[in-house]
């Protein structure tokens, strides 16, 4: 057993889809992964005495990559859902979120999701936002690989609305979409983000332990404040 432990990998392979600021993104012209999830994953790796290596992949490729062993953990603002729990093991929740509708500023016809019946909606492929859009009666839903494309489609008037996670919409509005877009209606579907692992991976328990320590020693709060303010 001790021999086995010594052989245990010293590297944690983390998969992410980095068009989800402020959770995971790359600054223009940089290959560096930055954001709340990235800081948290690195802090957890440090606690566990392991090196964290981050890989860029499609959001819909994360769960298959976990199951094939290509990555050890998905750190991607992934909402803990019953459906996903059938395929992967989640860590304890580390962030509380929800979905919102985003439209262009000049759109006075859409005040909430109820006004999206029969309308065109853009979403990121494989997300809870895509599931939500799929339930709107008569809506024509277009899925994109990245959220950059999702917002571009909205601003090019290819769609009437976007359904996406609230903190990501808020950050986008502050950084880029301030004069172009707005959030309408209430926050829908309370969701919690968790790190995802191959089913029954032992790493999940290690992550939970490290996460609890980070919450206790104030490091989690420091990272939270860095990205979301007080
Ligand atoms: N929270 C949503 C979900 O789990 C969206 C996550 C998108 N994450 C990303 N890194 N693009 O479906």
């Amino acid at each position: 057993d001790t021999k086995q432990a010594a052989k245990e990998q010293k590297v944690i392979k983390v998969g992410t889809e980095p068009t989800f600021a402020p959770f995971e993104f790359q600054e223009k012209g940089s290959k560096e992964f930055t954001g709340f999830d990235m800081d948290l994953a690195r802090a957890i790796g440090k606690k566990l005495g392991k090196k964290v290596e981050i890989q860029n992949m499609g959001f819909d490729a994360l769960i298959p990559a976990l199951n094939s062993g290509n990555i050890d953990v998905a750190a991607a603002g992934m909402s803990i859902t019953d459906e996903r729990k059938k395929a992967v093991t989640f860590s304890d929740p580390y962030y509380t979120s929800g979905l919102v509708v985003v439209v262009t500023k000049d759109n006075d016809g859409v005040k909430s999701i109820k006004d999206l019946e029969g309308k065109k909606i853009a979403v990121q492929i494989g997300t809870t936002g895509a599931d939500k859009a799929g339930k709107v009666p008569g809506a024509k839903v277009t899925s994109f690989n990245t959220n950059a494309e999702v917002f571009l489609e909205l601003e090019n008037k290819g769609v009437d609305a976007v359904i996406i996670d609230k903190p990501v919409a808020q950050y986008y509005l502050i950084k880029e979409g301030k004069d172009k877009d707005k959030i309408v209606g209430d926050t829908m579907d309370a969701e919690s983000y968790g790190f995802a692992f191959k089913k029954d991976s032992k790493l999940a328990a290690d992550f939970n332990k490290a996460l609890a320590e980070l919450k206790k020693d104030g490091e989690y709060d420091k990272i939270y404040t860095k990205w979301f303010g007080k």
Side-chain angles (χ1 to χ4, degrees):
D1 255 351
T2 38
K3 260 190 205 151
Q4 193 56 40
K7 266 195 278 177
E8 257 182 46
Q9 49 179 5
K10 286 277 180 288
V11 172
I12 301 176
K13 287 180 282 170
V14 175
T16 197
E17 192 292 308
T19 67
F20 202 63
F23 295 93
E24 43 267 342
F25 62 106
Q26 293 164 305
E27 299 284 5
K28 275 194 182 69
S30 168
K31 290 236 178 320
E32 183 79 21
F33 295 98
T34 186
F36 179 75
D37 291 349
M38 303 295 97
D39 283 351
L40 202 53
R42 288 189 184 105
I44 289 170
K46 209 166 162 194
K47 283 257 186 238
L48 300 177
K50 291 186 182 176
K51 202 177 156 227
V52 165
E53 274 174 18
I54 301 169
Q55 283 178 45
N56 182 344
M57 55 186 73
F59 187 74
D60 59 342
L62 290 165
I63 289 181
L66 287 171
N67 287 326
S68 66
N70 280 345
I71 56 171
D72 303 308
V73 50
M78 192 181 281
S79 302
I80 301 172
T81 67
D82 288 340
E83 191 59 30
R84 288 175 181 155
K85 275 196 211 157
K86 292 180 196 158
V88 293
T89 294
F90 280 102
S91 71
D92 292 334
Y94 65 81
Y95 187 91
T96 305
S97 190
L99 297 171
V100 289
V101 173
V102 183
V103 298
T104 50
K105 263 204 164 152
D106 55 10
N107 185 336
D108 293 326
V110 176
K111 299 218 155 47
S112 80
I113 192 160
K114 289 198 193 77
D115 301 319
L116 290 181
E117 294 198 9
K119 295 255 159 62
K120 293 187 215 146
I121 309 172
V123 294
Q124 186 178 31
I125 193 163
T127 60
T128 50
D131 291 343
K132 188 82 185 168
K135 289 183 189 132
V136 176
K140 188 179 174 301
V141 182
T142 314
S143 299
F144 294 91
N145 284 318
T146 68
N147 288 308
E149 295 164 284
V150 168
F151 282 115
L152 197 63
E153 188 70 1
L154 176 69
E155 286 148 18
N156 288 340
K157 308 274 174 161
V159 291
D160 301 289
V162 160
I163 299 182
I164 194 165
D165 301 52
K166 183 181 187 181
V168 173
Q170 285 174 323
Y171 194 86
Y172 178 79
L173 290 189
I174 291 167
K175 291 283 171 186
E176 301 184 46
K178 182 161 63 241
D179 306 313
K180 301 181 261 186
D181 312 315
K182 61 184 178 188
I183 292 172
V184 291
D186 297 330
T187 308
M188 310 172 285
D189 299 25
E191 295 181 357
S192 295
Y193 297 163
F195 297 104
F197 307 85
K198 187 179 186 148
K199 244 201 151 97
D200 302 323
S201 157
K202 287 196 322 226
L203 199 56
D206 296 342
F207 260 61
N208 285 340
K209 208 170 149 243
L211 193 58
E213 280 172 28
L214 292 169
K215 285 198 170 168
K216 215 166 142 198
D217 66 19
E219 183 71 16
Y220 176 95
D221 287 341
K222 247 170 73 185
I223 297 171
Y224 188 97
T225 305
K226 172 177 168 191
W227 292 106
F228 303 105
K230 296 242 183 267

